[in-house]
Amino acid sequence: MSGERDTIAAISTAPGAGGIAIVRLSGPRAEAILRAAFRPANAKADLSGRRLTYGAAVDEDGAAIDEAMAVLMRAPYTYTREDVAEIHCHGGSACASAVLRRVLLLGARAAEPGEFTRRAYENGRVDLSRAEAVMQLVGAQGEAARRAALRQMRGGVASFVEGAVQRLTDMLSRIQAAVDFPEEVDEAAVAAQVRAELEELAGQIEQRADPKRARMLREGASVVLCGRPNVGKSSLMNALLSAERAIVTDIPGTTRDVLSERFTLGGKVVRLSDTAGIRASGDAIERMGVERARSEVEAADVALLVLDMSQPLTDEDRALLAKADERYLLCLNKRDLPEALDEAALPDLPAVRLCARTGEGVERLLARLEERLGAGGGEEECFTVERQLRLAREAAATLRGCAQALGDGFSPDVVAPDMLRACELLDNVTGRDASEEVISAIFANFCVGK
Ligand code: GDP
């Protein structure tokens, strides 16, 4: 199967300091290269036993490059279904780079981004939707995202898609029967039944292909604090973050400015932003700040509108309240002070009374927020990868169109080609028909070594 293939190698661990770094090889020469680049401490050690063996990575003169552990996994029971070898050396880039150079000198080729997973795909170990899930798992932020990616990698979406294609095929065969045997099969009955099934299937696909939910899983939910100046937004931001301090995540690659912080709540990543900081002095800048604050609030999954309970509502408060929709939670702050706010004048939205200064009520607010974020749907397999989401939505729209046409009185064999088209779109999710271009684009987004 892979007799002619070259053997690829890469550092599979993340760059930067760490305890260990792993150089991975895959391909027909993995074993030979490993035996040349690694010397077990015990000369009798059996490298082929899928066990980690202690020893040293060595250069062409037999001199040690690094103390290391190595493992050899023979095809086909490996990630790529080819022979795979790993050399676990000391972390940091120096040792791993030296070991990588050594295996390249021995005839391995530097792997392209995602090439290990691409080989797993080409050798039939994973389908495209699973390969994409691997990529997402590697980048997963938060428990919910990890669970979604893992479910998908184990075939959650793939089996849903296969089931959907199966159902469509079944409907198509009933349509065909109605065409072939018009005397025996009642076409109108088939049309009505297929129409109902198409609606149901489209609904199931749409439910799993909700872009908002996918984005929340991928990037976390965006929660924005808004309110007029001095109501206590910054204080509340600090109180929320310190209540969650133990699990504030330091996610690499994000700018940790004071305006936006991430933490996890009930396994979901929350990106909390304070629009107060957007305001700057100076007219033009102030206006830009207000504009940015508005667009942040518009794009947010949840808006926390902070009001000062110790003061009557101002026109600015009223203007903000007038815009409040179902995404809003009202935070009635400064409850430690004498109350001057007329609560009867507030719109009918969930409200939490709290004191940002002491942190009192903040736990309640977090509980409400968690409830709100959890309400975004169950955890059934859903399409989280942009490419899959697009295909699924197009398939659902096509099926809706078919159902509509049947409802308008078109005969089933007229809509059949569109149903076939939906099948193709769904097949592309798992990559049964994916073109080389699509495949290359997908794997190019992977990191090297995966
Ligand atoms: P922002 O402009 O909305 O971000 O408001 P700040 O967080 O800067 O707070 C404005 C003022 O209100 C500061 O002096 C805070 O100390 C005070 N403040 C905030 N929360 C409370 C609270 O719960 N009780 C009291 N008494 N004062 C508060």
Side-chain angles (χ1 to χ4, degrees):
M1 169 177 68
S2 51
E4 301 303 316
R5 297 205 99 165
D6 47 8
T7 295
I8 52 172
I11 300 173
S12 281
T13 37
I20 56 171
I22 298 176
V23 173
R24 179 156 66 165
L25 290 148
S26 177
R29 296 201 57 231
E31 177 168 357
I33 293 172
L34 177 67
R35 289 190 187 280
F38 177 79
R39 186 177 58 222
N42 175 353
K44 288 197 220 104
D46 175 16
L47 271 179
S48 61
R50 301 178 78 90
R51 286 216 200 94
L52 272 179
T53 303
Y54 172 72
V58 290
D59 67 15
E60 58 273 31
D61 302 320
I65 299 170
D66 188 18
E67 240 177 81
M69 307 270 271
V71 61
L72 172 68
M73 292 162 274
R74 290 223 172 96
Y77 305 109
T78 65
Y79 184 65
T80 56
R81 288 206 169 154
E82 302 174 329
D83 283 352
V84 169
E86 289 177 2
I87 300 175
H88 298 215
C89 41
H90 282 105
S93 59
C95 299
S97 302
V99 172
L100 179 62
R101 269 199 305 280
R102 173 75 177 125
V103 300
L104 295 179
L105 275 174
L106 285 164
R109 172 172 65 70
E112 319 244 339
E115 201 171 358
F116 289 94
T117 307
R118 180 170 183 150
R119 288 192 169 190
Y121 164 71
E122 285 171 354
N123 293 329
R125 187 178 171 277
V126 294
D127 66 32
L128 267 192
S129 70
R130 286 179 221 206
E132 286 172 314
V134 170
M135 174 163 66
Q136 219 159 42
L137 189 60
V138 172
Q141 300 182 346
E143 272 298 289
R146 182 190 61 75
R147 282 196 299 269
L150 189 62
R151 252 195 324 275
Q152 186 165 342
M153 201 172 72
R154 291 181 170 164
V157 170
S159 56
F160 169 75
V161 165
E162 279 156 23
V165 170
Q166 188 58 51
R167 278 180 69 185
L168 282 168
T169 313
D170 179 57
M171 288 181 232
L172 284 164
S173 66
R174 275 180 279 148
I175 292 173
Q176 192 59 44
V179 173
D180 292 346
F181 310 104
E183 277 88 49
E184 287 150 60
V185 184
D186 177 359
E187 192 189 87
V190 169
Q193 203 185 22
V194 166
R195 182 185 171 199
E197 286 181 44
L198 286 174
E199 295 278 9
E200 188 195 324
L201 187 58
Q204 288 175 358
I205 298 172
E206 283 157 2
Q207 200 190 345
R208 287 167 173 76
D210 176 359
K212 190 172 155 204
R213 226 172 108 196
R215 185 184 48 74
M216 268 173 65
L217 273 173
R218 277 199 317 257
E219 298 162 18
S222 99
V223 176
V224 173
L225 282 161
C226 56
R228 67 175 163 83
N230 283 319
V231 289
K233 294 181 295 299
S234 313
S235 311
L236 182 55
M237 171 120 174
N238 288 332
L240 284 166
L241 291 174
S242 64
E244 289 297 306
R245 185 58 69 197
I247 46 172
V248 168
T249 51
D250 188 350
I251 296 165
T254 55
T255 47
R256 290 174 58 86
D257 58 37
V258 288
L259 295 182
S260 177
E261 281 277 9
R262 292 187 193 224
F263 60 93
T264 63
L265 185 62
K268 296 199 162 73
V269 172
V270 173
R271 205 173 59 248
L272 178 67
S273 331
D274 177 8
T275 57
I278 294 171
R279 282 169 183 275
S281 54
D283 273 356
I285 298 173
E286 167 103 24
R287 247 180 286 121
M288 268 167 56
V290 170
E291 202 40 57
R292 224 183 103 192
R294 189 173 306 142
S295 68
E296 288 245 351
V297 172
E298 269 162 21
D301 296 305
V302 179
L304 301 177
L305 174 52
V306 186
L307 298 167
D308 182 345
M309 284 185 80
S310 70
Q311 288 179 12
L313 285 181
T314 67
D315 287 345
E316 203 174 351
D317 288 327
R318 285 197 195 87
L320 289 163
L321 282 165
K323 290 211 191 75
D325 53 32
E326 74 292 342
R327 296 171 304 135
Y328 278 63
L329 285 176
L330 302 183
C331 302
L332 309 182
N333 190 32
K334 307 196 189 181
R335 70 173 299 187
D336 54 314
L337 300 176
E339 190 169 337
L341 182 81
D342 176 13
E343 283 181 60
L346 295 177
D348 186 21
L349 285 170
V352 178
R353 297 151 159 266
L354 49 85
C355 173
R357 183 171 271 177
T358 61
E360 196 258 301
V362 168
E363 288 295 336
R364 265 197 316 278
L365 176 60
L366 283 168
R368 291 305 274 276
L369 193 57
E370 188 175 340
E371 241 170 65
R372 182 63 69 89
L373 298 178
E379 283 214 347
E380 74 268 3
E381 331 71 39
C382 60
F383 300 92
T384 50
V385 177
E386 198 52 45
R387 184 190 68 89
Q388 300 177 11
L389 210 59
R390 247 189 354 257
L391 289 166
R393 293 184 68 74
E394 197 181 331
T398 306
L399 297 180
R400 291 261 181 226
C402 293
Q404 173 81 43
L406 289 173
D408 291 345
F410 285 93
S411 84
D413 56 310
V414 173
V415 303
D418 273 353
M419 288 170 64
L420 266 177
R421 164 92 190 117
C423 280
E424 270 169 36
L425 289 165
L426 291 171
D427 271 340
N428 282 341
V429 170
T430 48
R432 273 200 264 181
D433 280 330
S435 68
E436 171 59 31
E437 201 179 326
V438 169
I439 294 166
S440 294
I442 289 170
F443 288 104
N445 285 323
F446 272 58
C447 43
V448 171
K450 190 65 221 173

